[in-house]
Amino acid sequence: MHGLNGKTLRVNLTERRCTAEAWPEELYRRFLGGRGFIVHVLLRELEAGADPLGPENKLIFALGPLTGHHVVGSGRHSVGAKSPLTGAFLEGEAGGYWGAELKKAGFDFVVIEGRSDDPVYLWIHDGVGEIRPASHLWGLEPAQTQTAVRAELGDGLVRLAVIGPGGEKLVRYSCIAHDLTHIAGRGGLGAVMGSKKLKAVAVRGSARPQPADPEKIKELTRFMGANFRNKPGTWSCGTGKAMIQYEQSGNIPVRNFQGGSFPGAANLAPQRLFELEYVKRMEGCFGCPLKCKRIASAAGSYTVDPAYGGPEYETLTALGVNCGIDQVEPLIKANELCNRFGIDTISTGVVISFAMECFERGLLGPADTDGLELRFGRVEAMLTLVDKIGRREGLGDLLAEGSKIAAEKIGGGAIEYAMQVKGMEIPMHEPRLKQGMALHYAVNPAGPDHCSGIHDDLVAKNLTGWDELDVAHPLPPTETSPAKARMLYQVGLWRHLGNILGLCLFVPWSRKQIVEAVQAVTGWPMSYWRLMKTVERGITLGRLFHLREGFTSEQDRLPSRFHTAPTEGPLAGVAIDRAAFHRSREAYYQMLGWDTDGVPTLGRLIELDLAEYADVLPGLDRSGRA
């Protein structure tokens, strides 16, 4: 095969064994990589009902076909497992250089199973996997771990995927840091790694597989290098540069998504980080000129180590506006703390805002909060809780379980204030404004995710060229309808594609260019239609995983808060109509070839060449025969 290694490294931590396996070309052609490969392994190798924090869970690192080739934006890869936060399918992405290094080291995928009795780390280099002792690393922060492993291996260019103390302590939304600042953040992948006593995965390689058409790749790369600045995007200052406009339109969640105005959001706009000189440089990923990652430092009221990067839009909002905080320096510190502990900034912020609302409504008192006056806008209370969550101390131990489990333990109707879907906290784009995104939050196989959903306002204004995908006409962002479901289906499939290919969505490639890039790397005949069918396979298998684990359409719902309207602010009077939401959800199911209960039909499984997975559905055997 061109552009691919054709090898998977299987690591059994229980038996301390690493084995290189060859996977058939047919499997590569069907799934290409990333999400598709992850969910295939989970469906075929993980028993239904498996404990996400048990040795039976699989932790899978999966490259896409473009990962590590000189296609701008190809520094990404996927990581997946059964989620400790939701109990459902989980897949996240990270950028940086780690994925490109794994491609050079001779593997496309790493499947990690079992559990070590003592802490270990995995060392992958030029076709070899080694399991090494890591008791001396356990308890270290990610930067300390990276320094120690590089010194031990005698190579300062080794790339690491590492967990922090939060992952070791099984915080259910702990994450995996690649190159310290590129985070596979959602759903508890760090806890899965911690449960296996796996501290880090270090990689180093010397030769990537040769693509089918190197000259075409050079042509595409030269084009993007010369033209990426011609299209507005995140390259100028990173994510969230429209934060002021977001506040004015109602897109920013305010005080645990209660709604209202928050003019102080202007203090948190990324431009301010540059004006106040908290950010002095930008960094990027493998082979990419965009440089969209902020590197922040501070030495005033808070000391911040730039090794842990800088806060993105989601972080500034989750720990800022959503907690009623409009001071930027504490948020830079909060971002650093989250990355030191290795915990997801989105879930951390939403869990803290949930606790603040519970305190203000009398469901938590000073005896529950370790004496903290846990009200919106209290900076030190927020920072203290980040620290307690990362250490699993006091109230932090409860909040480390996530807002859904915490609400169930608190009781008294606290679940009404937990802004989550299936246990995963909702990202920082207001569902009442972006109602197509709201539908995506409810039904997405990997949980509520703002990257693979649609941003209704941008689609409505055609700011991202979605008319190429045959979206018939713009729709108001606040509309919920079967027509909006159609928009989510068409645009959403495209936005899932990066999770398959290992490609960043910030790079303004055209659809034609991406088809050309995949063909140039693999040598396989490719088309937009084939790519979309590959995406549908991943989405459908993710749905099968949910069904096997006992999830139904009943869990494809939003917190009831979003079916009520704020009384003030930009979204005053705006709510998601519950009946319209259900109609849209049903229409979306049918567009994907699922029945009205969200169960993929046998016909769609056959059409997607997935009939062998029909045994997941009651009454069908693996051949797809009733």
Side-chain angles (χ1 to χ4, degrees):
M1 293 185 289
H2 293 288
L4 302 161
N5 291 299
K7 290 183 181 179
T8 294
L9 180 66
R10 186 175 295 273
V11 180
N12 188 305
L13 295 174
T14 304
E15 300 176 3
R16 299 291 180 100
R17 185 178 69 246
C18 296
T19 308
E21 299 178 349
W23 291 76
E25 182 173 330
E26 182 276 332
L27 193 69
Y28 279 87
R29 284 179 177 260
R30 195 193 303 186
F31 297 119
L32 289 179
R35 168 181 291 178
F37 181 86
I38 289 169
V39 71
H40 161 77
V41 171
L42 292 176
L43 276 173
R44 281 291 164 247
E45 299 187 11
L46 191 65
E47 293 291 331
D51 180 358
L53 295 175
E56 61 269 31
N57 200 3
K58 311 272 182 172
L59 179 67
I60 305 156
F61 293 83
L63 308 185
L66 300 186
T67 304
H69 288 285
H70 287 294
V71 177
V72 176
S74 64
R76 298 189 70 80
H77 66 278
S78 297
V79 190
K82 184 177 182 181
S83 170
L85 188 62
T86 67
F89 167 67
L90 175 63
E91 175 247 350
E93 289 75 43
Y97 294 80
W98 189 94
E101 201 68 29
L102 181 65
K103 181 72 69 80
K104 289 166 60 180
F107 297 103
D108 301 312
F109 313 113
V110 181
V111 179
I112 301 170
E113 55 199 15
R115 172 189 288 159
S116 175
D117 291 332
D118 303 307
V120 295
Y121 74 91
L122 179 60
W123 168 222
I124 304 171
H125 52 102
D126 286 332
V128 176
E130 301 178 33
I131 299 171
R132 294 193 167 206
S135 294
H136 60 299
L137 304 174
W138 206 250
L140 296 185
E141 296 172 359
Q144 296 169 328
T145 303
Q146 178 171 279
T147 298
V149 172
R150 285 177 169 176
E152 186 172 306
L153 296 175
D155 188 342
L157 295 179
V158 168
R159 299 293 177 177
L160 277 90
V162 62
I163 60 171
E168 297 173 5
K169 294 180 181 295
L170 309 185
V171 175
R172 288 187 185 269
Y173 42 89
S174 53
C175 50
I176 301 174
H178 303 77
D179 304 315
L180 299 184
T181 62
H182 300 273
I183 314 295
R186 310 302 320 274
L189 291 165
V192 175
M193 197 159 156
S195 74
K196 296 182 178 299
K197 288 289 196 297
L198 180 63
K199 180 63 175 179
V201 181
V203 296
R204 190 77 160 98
S206 58
R208 70 177 57 84
Q210 286 300 305
D213 189 348
E215 290 306 312
K216 183 62 178 181
I217 292 174
K218 290 179 183 178
E219 175 191 323
L220 291 167
T221 300
R222 285 194 293 267
F223 170 86
M224 188 54 66
N227 291 283
F228 73 91
R229 286 188 175 86
N230 295 338
K231 187 170 184 178
T234 60
W235 61 266
S236 57
C237 68
T239 58
K241 66 179 182 179
M243 185 173 281
I244 295 172
Q245 293 91 323
Y246 285 173
E247 191 278 332
Q248 293 169 347
S249 68
N251 184 49
I252 284 188
V254 177
R255 298 182 183 88
N256 200 31
F257 289 87
Q258 292 183 78
S261 299
F262 198 87
N267 298 334
L268 311 181
Q271 295 88 330
R272 290 288 290 161
L273 275 69
F274 287 89
E275 292 170 6
L276 298 173
E277 297 189 346
Y278 291 117
V279 175
K280 296 182 180 179
R281 76 178 194 274
M282 302 286 283
E283 292 186 353
C285 301
F286 168 82
C288 185
L290 270 68
K291 309 296 181 188
C292 66
K293 298 286 289 185
R294 295 186 282 264
I295 305 299
S297 61
S301 301
Y302 304 94
T303 300
V304 175
D305 185 349
Y308 291 104
E312 302 289 342
Y313 164 75
E314 298 287 325
T315 304
L316 292 167
T317 303
L319 289 157
V321 179
N322 204 42
C323 291
I325 293 169
D326 63 1
Q327 300 174 48
V328 71
E329 189 170 298
L331 296 179
I332 298 173
K333 182 62 179 179
N335 176 78
E336 182 217 47
L337 284 174
C338 285
N339 287 351
R340 283 180 182 273
F341 285 115
I343 55 178
D344 173 30
T345 60
I346 296 175
S347 281
T348 300
V350 176
V351 165
I352 291 174
S353 70
F354 156 77
M356 287 176 166
E357 183 166 0
C358 286
F359 186 89
E360 292 197 349
R361 292 182 181 273
L363 297 176
L364 292 174
D368 306 302
T369 64
D370 312 313
L372 286 175
E373 187 75 10
L374 198 54
R375 298 186 183 278
F376 288 110
R378 298 292 177 93
V379 168
E380 292 308 316
M382 179 272 290
L383 288 171
T384 299
L385 270 188
V386 172
D387 187 79
K388 285 180 174 292
I389 289 168
R391 299 180 190 277
R392 271 195 177 267
E393 293 179 352
L395 178 61
D397 189 39
L398 174 64
L399 298 182
E401 295 291 288
S403 57
K404 181 177 183 290
I405 295 175
E408 291 168 349
K409 291 184 177 181
I410 293 169
I415 195 67
E416 294 298 314
Y417 315 122
M419 298 298 103
Q420 50 77 34
V421 173
K422 303 181 184 74
M424 184 182 289
E425 287 70 33
I426 290 174
M428 298 295 103
H429 294 269
E430 237 288 356
R432 285 170 288 207
L433 175 69
K434 298 182 177 182
Q435 297 196 12
M437 180 74 83
L439 178 58
H440 177 72
Y441 285 168
V443 301
N444 182 42
D449 169 39
H450 60 290
C451 291
S452 55
I454 62 169
H455 294 269
D456 302 55
D457 52 342
L458 301 184
V459 177
K461 297 173 184 176
N462 193 32
L463 294 182
T464 42
W466 299 125
D467 54 345
E468 294 180 37
L469 303 182
D470 191 34
V471 175
H473 52 80
L475 299 171
T478 54
E479 176 178 321
T480 295
S481 66
K484 181 62 72 72
R486 175 178 181 258
M487 184 177 284
L488 174 61
Y489 174 71
Q490 292 187 330
V491 176
L493 288 184
W494 182 259
R495 286 181 63 82
H496 279 281
L497 184 59
N499 299 18
I500 299 286
L501 301 181
L503 189 66
C504 180
L505 59 83
F506 289 165
V507 182
W509 291 114
S510 70
R511 286 110 188 106
K512 179 176 180 292
Q513 287 171 325
I514 291 180
V515 170
E516 291 173 344
V518 177
Q519 187 163 299
V521 168
T522 65
W524 297 328
M526 197 53 58
S527 66
Y528 170 75
W529 186 87
R530 285 190 175 190
L531 291 178
M532 293 303 96
K533 286 300 171 184
T534 305
V535 170
E536 284 200 79
R537 288 188 190 105
I539 292 173
T540 299
L541 289 186
R543 187 68 180 186
L544 291 181
F545 188 91
H546 280 206
L547 294 168
R548 191 186 70 171
E549 296 300 318
F551 289 87
T552 69
S553 60
E554 177 61 25
Q555 283 82 46
D556 291 347
R557 65 176 186 267
L558 299 167
S560 59
R561 168 159 287 168
F562 300 118
H563 298 297
T564 63
T567 58
E568 59 181 13
L571 295 180
V574 177
I576 300 173
D577 181 84
R578 198 182 297 269
F581 176 82
H582 288 159
R583 288 193 297 272
S584 299
R585 185 181 67 186
E586 184 174 308
Y588 183 68
Y589 289 163
Q590 292 175 338
M591 291 173 199
L592 285 167
W594 306 349
D595 67 18
T596 55
D597 291 321
V599 179
T601 64
L602 176 58
R604 180 47 60 98
L605 294 182
I606 294 171
E607 189 268 336
L608 291 174
D609 193 22
L610 298 177
E612 67 186 89
Y613 303 88
D615 59 347
V616 173
L617 302 177
L620 297 174
D621 68 21
R622 187 171 297 186
S623 68
R625 294 187 293 269

